[in-house]
Amino acid sequence: MQYSHIKEGVFLCRPNRFIAHVALAGREEVCHVKNTGRCRELLVPGATVYLERSDNPRRKTKYDLVAVQKGGLLINMDAQAPNRVFQEWAAAGNFLPDVRSIRPESTYGASRFDFRLETGEGSTFVEVKGVTLEEGGEARFPDAPTERGVKHLRELQRAAAEGYGAAVFFVIQMKGVSHFRPNDATHPAFGQALREAAAVGVKVCAYDCLVTPDTLTIGQPVPVVL
């Protein structure tokens, strides 16, 4: 996945979840934050951030904040990136062999999953989750309670019980973590639902990413600790 027109800046403040103030080339710029999560451990005053310039003259903000430097880690925090990078990666046959089609936003039951993949063996529903929370080399999800995430896991369980392939795929938007774990301290119900889903055949995957200021590429699997 490739960005264009990337600029380096310094994070100043975040008045609300949609915008941030960034020092860029000697001036203060208001930019759109492409992640409505809390990201409190990432967006701290003085942090180096990377912005993508938009060519749309009708936009209120000229830039999108897409990545941030956290110590030695460069973290992509674009909430739209995990789906895009997974689709590119899966289309190349890296998730399932003999993939014949990938349909985004596929409805099943009361949920709309991120993807439905078709192979010669049938259909697999995949829900993709972006992970930006890291502490001590451990990646965790979620960084805030997500009832929607719990609902998706319940629906994946039902799909698996009805004979479909079912998977939740955690895109860890950084390199350098040792393992992934559900964030039970923040949302125990999500962790419990994930363990129950895994027990009935829902595939739980976590992959790190190679991150540069202007690219994101799925890297290698990391251990999942449930």
Side-chain angles (χ1 to χ4, degrees):
M1 177 183 158
Q2 180 82 46
Y3 295 100
S4 58
H5 309 304
I6 290 291
K7 302 290 184 182
E8 180 180 319
V10 177
F11 176 77
L12 300 174
C13 65
R14 187 183 187 183
N16 59 54
R17 61 181 181 160
F18 300 106
I19 64 169
H21 290 232
V22 172
L24 180 66
R27 67 182 186 279
E28 185 172 323
E29 191 80 40
V30 178
C31 64
H32 172 60
V33 179
K34 296 192 76 173
N35 190 318
T36 58
R38 294 175 179 174
C39 305
R40 292 172 181 166
E41 77 287 354
L42 299 179
L43 295 180
V44 297
T48 298
V49 292
Y50 294 92
L51 314 176
E52 182 181 37
R53 192 188 76 218
S54 171
D55 292 326
N56 184 351
R58 294 178 292 180
R59 279 187 43 154
K60 292 182 179 179
T61 55
K62 188 186 298 184
Y63 293 95
D64 292 313
L65 196 160
V66 297
V68 59
Q69 192 76 38
K70 178 192 172 192
L73 295 176
L74 179 58
I75 300 175
N76 178 291
M77 54 174 291
D78 178 356
Q80 298 171 6
N83 281 32
R84 289 176 58 192
V85 76
F86 173 82
Q87 185 168 6
E88 291 177 1
W89 184 78
N94 293 307
F95 183 62
L96 293 175
D98 187 33
V99 62
R100 298 178 180 179
S101 68
I102 302 176
R103 286 190 280 170
E105 298 293 322
S106 186
T107 300
Y108 172 82
S111 287
R112 180 176 293 174
F113 293 127
D114 289 321
F115 296 100
R116 179 173 182 159
L117 280 68
E118 300 289 347
T119 69
E121 297 183 357
S123 300
T124 296
F125 293 101
V126 182
E127 186 65 16
V128 177
K129 305 294 185 187
V131 181
T132 61
L133 178 62
E134 176 276 339
E135 186 172 344
E138 179 177 88
R140 299 187 201 134
F141 182 92
D143 69 350
T146 171
E147 295 300 333
R148 182 171 177 269
V150 172
K151 176 186 173 185
H152 282 147
L153 291 174
R154 300 297 186 205
E155 291 287 352
L156 284 172
Q157 289 182 54
R158 190 158 71 89
E162 293 183 0
Y164 292 98
V168 56
F169 193 97
F170 293 96
V171 176
I172 301 170
Q173 293 168 256
M174 68 195 84
K175 194 77 175 172
V177 300
S178 59
H179 61 278
F180 168 83
R181 187 192 300 270
N183 194 358
D184 291 301
T186 294
H187 196 186
F190 182 87
Q192 183 61 28
L194 185 62
R195 286 183 280 272
E196 291 173 1
V200 299
V202 175
K203 190 175 181 180
V204 180
C205 308
Y207 276 69
D208 65 14
C209 287
L210 302 172
V211 183
T212 72
D214 60 356
T215 64
L216 182 70
T217 308
I218 289 181
Q220 299 298 320
V222 301
V224 175
V225 180
L226 295 178

